[in-house]
């Protein structure tokens, strides 16, 4: 159940309202949007007389029942889209934010060359894996803490905010200088990790699990928000289907549906979705056309020698050329890129 509050209600009244519900055994989530403030009630709301609350509370303009299991991330709670700001970059409605960089940070020279070049082409955020979730224990596992240090250096040199994947809670302190913490597909339902990053005061990029439904993705986002962090970016990165000619199947309808069902920003990753370099640009254009708020695309200065995901990585010239195409399309979509 969600209560939309009257405009300009004093904070003490909101606190008292929330306290009243918590005394009765409910949990609450306060959602402060640009249009309105809402209090979301979680618990057994079947016994709550909605009309009575609206008439007697003195601060509620209207209320509604939310039938979906996801509450705080539900668009019913916040009709205006959430915009996440990180180091001068916005992610959300009205912008198409491109995140780019290698699957894995390999050396200072590699990450720096990629960072400088993708920045020149128009990327706004630098990605780079330091801890890599690999199917085989014999594959390159990433540079770990050293990789994060190289990424930090590239951030310092270029001014680009950085995003990197966390694998478990014990790594949280290592991510102090990482601007956006990525939860990868394999960890989307690692609930302890979701709760832990819910305690952080920085954006979380939550990737959809390989075989997770749209609702499960929203429920995982709900874990993070319920734990206190409402800065969540959803990422569609392809799902497993019967198809074997692509690495995964990009679920474009998920992008459009997530935008309708949730107020959170939604981006997509054509690199992991396809696994094939030549498909990255066409899928990137489709991702923009379907209404995503951005893109995460893997790039490498020498894809043939990449230690991870080279076959799906664009080289720096291919990325430049994709960005030119996306910039033209952004005008039609009325999005800043
Ligand atoms: C990645 O972004 O490099 C990655 C491992 O992605 P995913 O979790 O979507 O497989
Ligand atoms: Mn990768």
């Amino acid at each position: 159940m969600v209560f939309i509050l009257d405009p300009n209600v004093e904070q003490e009244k909101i606190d008292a309202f929330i306290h009243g519900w918590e005394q009765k055994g409910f949990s609450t989530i306060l959602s402060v949007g640009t249009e309105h403030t809402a209090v979301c009630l979680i618990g057994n709301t079947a016994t709550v007389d909605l009309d009575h609350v609206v008439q007697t509370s003195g601060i509620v303009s209207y209320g509604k029942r939310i039938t979906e299991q996801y509450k705080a991330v539900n668009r019913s709670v916040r009709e205006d889209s959430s915009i996440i700001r990180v180091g001068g970059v916005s992610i959300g409605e009205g912008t198409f934010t491109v995140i780019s960089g290698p699957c894995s940070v390999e050396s200072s020279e590699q990450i720096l060359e990629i960072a400088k070049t993708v920045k020149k082409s128009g990327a706004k955020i630098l990605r780079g894996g330091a801890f890599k979730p690999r199917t085989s224990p014999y594959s390159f596992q990433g540079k770990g803490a050293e990789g994060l240090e190289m990424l930090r250096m590239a951030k310092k040199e270029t001014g680009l905010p950085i995003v990197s994947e966390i694998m478990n809670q014990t790594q949280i302190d290592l991510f102090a200088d990482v601007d956006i913490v990525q939860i990868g597909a394999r960890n989307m339902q690692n609930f302890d990790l979701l709760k832990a990053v819910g305690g952080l005061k920085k954006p979380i990029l939550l990737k959809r699990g390989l075989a997770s439904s749209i609702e499960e993705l929203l429920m995982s986002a709900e874990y993070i928000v319920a734990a206190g962090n409402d800065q969540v970016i959803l990422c569609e990165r392809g799902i497993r289907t019967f198809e074997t000619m692509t690495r995964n199947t990009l679920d474009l309808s998920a992008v459009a549906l997530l935008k309708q069902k949730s107020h959170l920003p939604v981006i997509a990753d054509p690199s992991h979705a396809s696994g094939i370099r030549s498909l990255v640009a066409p899928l990137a254009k489709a991702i923009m056309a379907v209404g995503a708020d951005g893109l995460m695309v893997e790039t490498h200065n020498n894809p043939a020698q990449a230690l991870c995901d080279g076959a799906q990585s664009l080289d720096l010239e291919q990325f430049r050329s994709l960005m030119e195409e996306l910039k033209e399309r952004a005008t039609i979509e009325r999005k800043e890129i």
Side-chain angles (χ1 to χ4, degrees), residues 45 54 102 168 184 199:
T45 55
V54 174
N168 63 63

Side-chain angles (χ1 to χ4, degrees), residues 102-104 127 132 247 272 298 308-309 312:
C103 180
S104 178
R127 67 149 284 152
K132 295 304 305 174
R247 182 173 178 180
H272 292 87
E298 285 184 342
C308 185
D309 285 350
Q312 67 191 32

